[in-house]
Amino acid sequence: MLQFELLATEGQARRGRLTLNHGVVQTPIFMPVGTYGTVKGVTPRSLEEMGAQIILGNTFHLWMRPGLDVLDHFGGLHGFEKWPRPILTDSGGFQVWSLGEMRKISEEGVKFASPVNGDKLFLTPEVSMQVQTVLNSDIVMQFDECTPYETKGHITTEAEARFSMELSLRWARRCQAEFARLANPNALFGIVQGGMFEHLREESLAALVEMDFPGYAVGGVSVGEPKDDMLRIMAHTPHRLPAHKPRYLMGVGTPEDLVDGVASGVDMFDCVMPTRNARNGHLFTRFGDLKIRNARHRSDERPLDETCSCYACKGTTAPDGTVSGGFSRAYLHHLERCGEMLAPMLATIHNLHYYLNLMQEVRDALDAGRFAAFREQFRRDRARGV
């Protein structure tokens, strides 16, 4: 089940409401990535407290571990990881791409050796749909080939990008047929491919729209291409998708990418950047990025971001007035330098809160009809520096 309501627009930017089997998602939205059935470094309760409405799971990795028998025993991914809200699962296409020379792609699917135990496996559009049906994710992604920016040491040619895009279209039809055969009650999204070629993107988009998916994603970006090429495709493609259906930009990106993506008509984003960067001491703030390992933070009493209300920056107040949390840059610097587990945990809480709060501010600005003004202020604030 999927219902999408368009509540407001400003230019190409959209404010919407997405209703799925496990709840309502206000858009534009950022979706934290939970590859193995957990968003690294945070509890499900923390995710709910910071305003996460929908999270991701990874079809490829969950198929490897814990396996379909365990996931089926728990009634799917929601029951297994104790997350009551919507979940989106990717199809495994990106993970297959990342295997590089370890996989062999054919018309039927992809043969590869399991990175867990070496077993020889065959992932097809039908298998991807079967796995995602067991996962019972609210949004299922079609199995596609993620067109690389470089192929065998050279920049992917138009002919190579076309071959890949057309293969993904044939796989999309097979996904749709298998999804229907399985009577999956959730929603299946198609994925626009075409590499860095606008006319191929338009061909892919037109064919997928004709298939009438409940929602659409733009894939094959942030796969090693120069930033200008990514921005070019991001500006070109999303607003050409049907206005009455949700639009998802896969694997993007920085705070600036999210705000620019909204301006280009994107409704949904995901990226490992806030969690991965947190584990490396790289923090996002309203006033620019901060590297907490730098010596200049050694005795700094300030929080990471004085405007942030997350547990790491502001803490929480108990009914008796007792405040817990709200840590200094100096303390976080100390934890990082000592290799303490709490350092990436607090950093992850902060970064995810920052991304989710940024999307809340975007939604508020769209509700008030002031997104353009918000975007300008956002740019000025981020350029100011910490």
Side-chain angles (χ1 to χ4, degrees), residues 53 96 159 179 256 286:
Q53 302 178 56
V96 164
F179 186 88
E256 287 75 13
R286 185 180 300 275

Side-chain angles (χ1 to χ4, degrees), residues 66 79 119 217 240 277 279 327 332 356 376:
D119 285 352
R240 289 178 161 81
N277 283 23
R279 296 193 298 276
F327 304 99
L332 292 166
L356 292 165
E376 285 304 312

